[in-house]
Amino acid sequence: MFELNQLEQLLAIEKYKTLSNAAEHLNISQPALSRSIQRLEEELEVTLFKRQKNRLTFNEDGISALEYARRIMELSNEMKDSLITASKARRTISIGSIAPAPIWTLTPEVSKLHPEMSIQSEIETHDKLEKGLKDDTYQIIITNDPAADNDTVVIDYCEEDLYVTLPPAHPLAGRDSLYLADLNGQSILQYSKVGFWLDICKAKMPDSMFIMQDEFDTLNELRRTSALPAFATNITGSTPSSEHRVMVPLLDDEVNVIFYLKYKKANRKMFKDISPLT
Amino acid sequence: MFELNQLEQLLAIEKYKTLSNAAEHLNISQPALSRSIQRLEEELEVTLFKRQKNRLTFNEDGISALEYARRIMELSNEMKDSLITASKARRTISIGSIAPAPIWTLTPEVSKLHPEMSIQSEIETHDKLEKGLKDDTYQIIITNDPAADNDTVVIDYCEEDLYVTLPPAHPLAGRDSLYLADLNGQSILQYSKVGFWLDICKAKMPDSMFIMQDEFDTLNELRRTSALPAFATNITGSTPSSEHRVMVPLLDDEVNVIFYLKYKKANRKMFKDISPLT
DNA sequence: ATGCCTTACGTTATACGTAATTATT
DNA sequence: AATAATTACGTATAACGTAAGGCAT
């Protein structure tokens, strides 16, 4: 049987017009290509070129062979691509969450349970998470909504409560607790990758300016050096800046959240050993 | 890139269940096959088997690879077949005729004009011949109907006149000429591959029994040894039996035929040098 | 004179077979 | 003990590159 190798060479000759030029691009010598094509013709029992002593041009059979070669190479490449994609997908666990905090603990735990797999995680909106769980984009999702159908396992994973951290000199620093509304109008530091938190804060503090910061370290630096209020949670815990700060709990229901972890019952065997933090 | 070779080996492993068995049928050693498959997996960057130390079984990717391998091999075989078929067809001239006699002279003549081509000929009905000329099943057809469209060349090729050969003792042996109807009711020897002649004779001699004979030599033998009437033509000429026989011409219009040779104008260059016998 | 393909020939690299190893039934 | 797969190693074959030749533009 002929080989894919030779079909690629055939296509290269078409692309690069002459045998010499094609050989150059294929990184083989011109005679090697010449003979390889001769072997292909022998194998196919058909002449593919008009040999004008000085020049190779595809004859009728050659053109037909090119069509086939294209189709076969296409299919072969599709084979490789699809196999690699499928096997990669099978070896990675995708986690989607509405907030970053649960991912911090869940990712290493899942990774420990399945050391051979790579874990991929991202923050998304509730609706996209639920959709992603259904169509297997995510194997695990984390939301604050325990609702689920019969094919889904729901676990009460952890609770996260929002605090505001204030410099001791801040007028509200002496309070035992606050509502987001109390902070409305104040500029406040905000980590940008907080997921659903941001929408809630913006809704309750329409007059505030949120100073967004991507980098966690930079955020902490700002918290330490500036007099601006900032958010923290029971999970983000005591930051290095906490010594100079007062942490005041926020009482709004929406910012004291239980995170539910959901996965398909089909994946129960994979994930049954995940332990809730609560 | 992987090679077709390896895909065939993959399919062989599926077919023959074990690597050892497959290697046997592929006429290579077991280790050679083992490594070849390992190379395939390396190339695809995917594991295709569950290795149970003692047994190879296809995993999910392996099964998917098998599907692709099947499709690719199928396409590759189709490529080879179709190329060979097309090139063969391009190198053979097909002649169709309603009667055998013109073929006897035309075939060697065409063969001499195109020594590189192989000539194939067959007897067919008028309608199939005309259709075959249109769709290029035949490059040349021979019929008794000169009608043709504008893309067709028609040549008055030869005439064939039917005779009946009778033993001298036969009651009709003294006649100068006969009509087929005169022979109606008599058993008569008939060469079976005569094409359109047979239909005419049967129509004009509904009460006769036709003693069909495939083999030309056998037919002549019968003509010589039996007292049965038989047919002959100006082209079949004087057979070895003619000495003992009387040849009486038949006067029916339908059995004194002009054969027309037809080919497409597109093939004029190929066939213009064919010379009529007349 | 240069570009392009083929043939010839010595060399290399890849894939092979033999033998040994491990594991399973 | 027999079957099956992998690993190790020396070998052979098939494809390669270099060199040379022929034939065009």
Side-chain angles (χ1 to χ4, degrees):
Chain A
M1 184 55 97
F2 59 93
E3 293 296 347
L4 292 184
N5 186 17
Q6 295 170 296
L7 299 188
E8 274 189 334
Q9 295 173 346
L10 203 69
L11 292 172
I13 294 176
E14 182 198 26
K15 183 171 180 185
Y16 297 112
K17 307 300 178 197
T18 77
L19 200 143
S20 335
N21 195 229
E24 179 113 12
H25 285 87
L26 290 167
N27 293 315
I28 58 174
S29 71
Q30 187 201 58
L33 181 56
S34 177
R35 279 180 317 235
S36 180
I37 291 297
Q38 284 168 24
R39 283 194 298 272
L40 177 62
E41 289 179 307
E42 245 173 68
E43 175 56 47
L44 290 173
E45 298 169 31
V46 159
T47 301
L48 300 176
F49 297 90
K50 258 181 293 193
R51 256 104 175 160
Q52 297 155 312
K53 281 300 169 201
N54 201 11
R55 184 143 225 98
L56 280 187
T57 50
F58 287 93
N59 65 19
E60 209 167 331
D61 288 328
I63 289 167
S64 170
L66 278 173
E67 299 302 322
Y68 274 105
R70 243 186 296 280
R71 287 172 60 193
I72 292 171
M73 289 314 304
E74 217 167 276
L75 197 52
S76 301
N77 289 325
E78 187 191 322
M79 173 176 177
K80 180 167 176 177
D81 290 348
S82 115
L83 284 176
I84 290 178
T85 304
S87 100
K88 272 231 182 79
R90 204 171 305 116
R91 281 200 313 269
T92 76
I93 296 170
S94 270
I95 301 172
S97 175
I98 56 165
I103 290 179
W104 298 337
T105 55
L106 184 61
T107 299
E109 186 174 5
V110 171
S111 182
K112 187 166 283 177
L113 287 170
H114 298 283
E116 80 287 1
M117 307 203 78
S118 60
I119 319 292
Q120 188 262 334
S121 65
E122 57 194 35
I123 310 284
E124 260 302 348
T125 59
H126 175 82
D127 290 349
K128 289 200 176 163
L129 292 175
E130 294 287 353
K131 187 159 158 291
L133 183 65
K134 275 220 168 62
D135 69 14
D136 297 315
T137 305
Y138 304 113
Q139 283 72 58
I140 304 179
I141 63 171
I142 301 162
T143 79
N144 59 345
D145 176 8
D149 64 25
N150 233 348
D151 299 326
T152 307
V153 177
V154 182
I155 291 173
D156 184 340
Y157 185 65
C158 68
E159 188 178 338
E160 186 168 29
D161 304 309
L162 196 63
Y163 292 77
V164 60
T165 76
L166 302 167
H170 195 278
L172 296 171
R175 302 278 283 271
D176 284 344
S177 63
L178 287 167
Y179 286 88
L180 283 174
D182 299 328
L183 299 166
N184 189 28
Q186 308 216 15
S187 289
I188 188 162
L189 280 173
Q190 175 71 275
Y191 181 48
S192 44
K193 300 170 186 164
V194 286
F196 84 118
W197 294 114
L198 185 58
D199 296 328
I200 295 170
C201 295
K202 282 190 169 166
K204 295 254 177 167
M205 303 162 62
D207 303 322
S208 283
M209 205 173 100
F210 293 87
I211 300 165
M212 309 298 285
Q213 186 48 247
D214 277 1
E215 289 285 330
F216 214 83
D217 291 341
T218 319
L219 181 69
N220 275 334
E221 185 67 16
L222 280 175
R223 256 205 279 241
R224 201 153 48 76
T225 55
S226 78
L228 288 167
F231 290 116
T233 77
N234 59 320
I235 296 179
T236 62
S238 46
T239 63
S241 57
S242 55
E243 307 148 23
H244 315 290
R245 289 274 181 159
V246 182
M247 279 181 78
V248 183
L250 293 163
L251 298 183
D252 308 67
D253 281 347
E254 299 93 327
V255 297
N256 295 288
V257 191
I258 296 173
F259 287 120
Y260 299 94
L261 188 153
K262 302 182 190 175
Y263 53 82
K264 283 190 175 174
K265 282 191 178 167
N267 288 328
R268 195 160 21 191
K269 196 157 43 167
M270 248 180 143
F271 299 136
K272 67 176 167 45
D273 291 330
I274 295 174
S275 44
L277 293 186
T278 45
Chain B
M1 183 55 96
F2 59 94
E3 293 297 346
L4 292 183
N5 186 16
Q6 296 171 296
L7 299 188
E8 272 188 334
Q9 295 173 345
L10 203 68
L11 292 171
I13 294 176
E14 182 198 26
K15 183 172 181 187
Y16 297 112
K17 307 300 178 194
T18 77
L19 200 145
S20 333
N21 196 230
E24 179 113 12
H25 284 88
L26 290 167
N27 293 317
I28 58 173
S29 70
Q30 188 201 58
L33 181 56
S34 177
R35 279 179 315 234
S36 180
I37 291 296
Q38 284 168 24
R39 283 194 297 273
L40 177 61
E41 289 179 308
E42 244 173 69
E43 176 55 49
L44 290 173
E45 299 169 31
V46 160
T47 302
L48 300 176
F49 296 90
K50 258 181 292 194
R51 256 98 175 165
Q52 296 155 312
K53 280 303 170 197
N54 200 14
R55 185 139 225 103
L56 280 186
T57 50
F58 288 92
N59 65 18
E60 209 167 330
D61 288 327
I63 290 167
S64 170
L66 279 173
E67 299 302 322
Y68 275 106
R70 244 186 296 279
R71 288 172 58 194
I72 292 171
M73 288 314 304
E74 218 167 275
L75 197 52
S76 301
N77 289 324
E78 187 192 322
M79 172 176 179
K80 181 167 176 177
D81 290 349
S82 116
L83 284 175
I84 290 177
T85 304
S87 100
K88 270 228 184 83
R90 205 171 304 118
R91 280 198 312 269
T92 78
I93 296 169
S94 270
I95 301 173
S97 175
I98 56 164
I103 291 180
W104 298 337
T105 54
L106 184 59
T107 299
E109 187 173 7
V110 171
S111 183
K112 187 167 282 179
L113 287 172
H114 299 284
E116 79 288 1
M117 307 204 77
S118 60
I119 319 292
Q120 186 264 336
S121 66
E122 58 195 35
I123 309 287
E124 258 303 348
T125 59
H126 176 81
D127 290 348
K128 289 199 177 164
L129 291 175
E130 293 288 354
K131 190 162 157 289
L133 183 66
K134 275 219 168 62
D135 69 15
D136 297 314
T137 305
Y138 304 113
Q139 284 72 60
I140 304 179
I141 64 171
I142 302 163
T143 79
N144 59 345
D145 175 10
D149 63 24
N150 233 346
D151 299 326
T152 307
V153 177
V154 183
I155 293 174
D156 184 340
Y157 185 65
C158 68
E159 187 177 339
E160 186 168 30
D161 304 310
L162 197 63
Y163 292 76
V164 60
T165 76
L166 300 166
H170 193 279
L172 297 171
R175 302 278 283 273
D176 284 345
S177 62
L178 287 167
Y179 286 86
L180 283 174
D182 299 328
L183 298 164
N184 190 26
Q186 308 216 13
S187 288
I188 187 161
L189 279 172
Q190 175 71 274
Y191 181 47
S192 44
K193 301 171 186 166
V194 286
F196 85 118
W197 294 114
L198 186 57
D199 297 328
I200 296 168
C201 295
K202 280 190 170 168
K204 295 253 176 170
M205 303 162 61
D207 303 323
S208 285
M209 203 172 100
F210 294 87
I211 301 167
M212 310 297 284
Q213 185 47 247
D214 278 1
E215 288 286 330
F216 214 85
D217 291 342
T218 319
L219 181 70
N220 275 334
E221 185 66 17
L222 279 174
R223 255 203 281 241
R224 202 155 45 77
T225 55
S226 78
L228 288 168
F231 290 115
T233 79
N234 60 321
I235 297 180
T236 63
S238 47
T239 63
S241 57
S242 55
E243 308 146 21
H244 316 290
R245 291 274 182 158
V246 183
M247 277 183 78
V248 183
L250 294 164
L251 298 183
D252 308 68
D253 281 346
E254 299 94 326
V255 297
N256 297 287
V257 191
I258 296 174
F259 286 119
Y260 299 94
L261 188 151
K262 304 183 188 174
Y263 52 83
K264 284 189 175 175
K265 284 190 176 167
N267 288 328
R268 192 158 26 189
K269 195 156 46 167
M270 247 180 141
F271 300 136
K272 66 176 168 43
D273 290 330
I274 295 173
S275 46
L277 292 186
T278 48

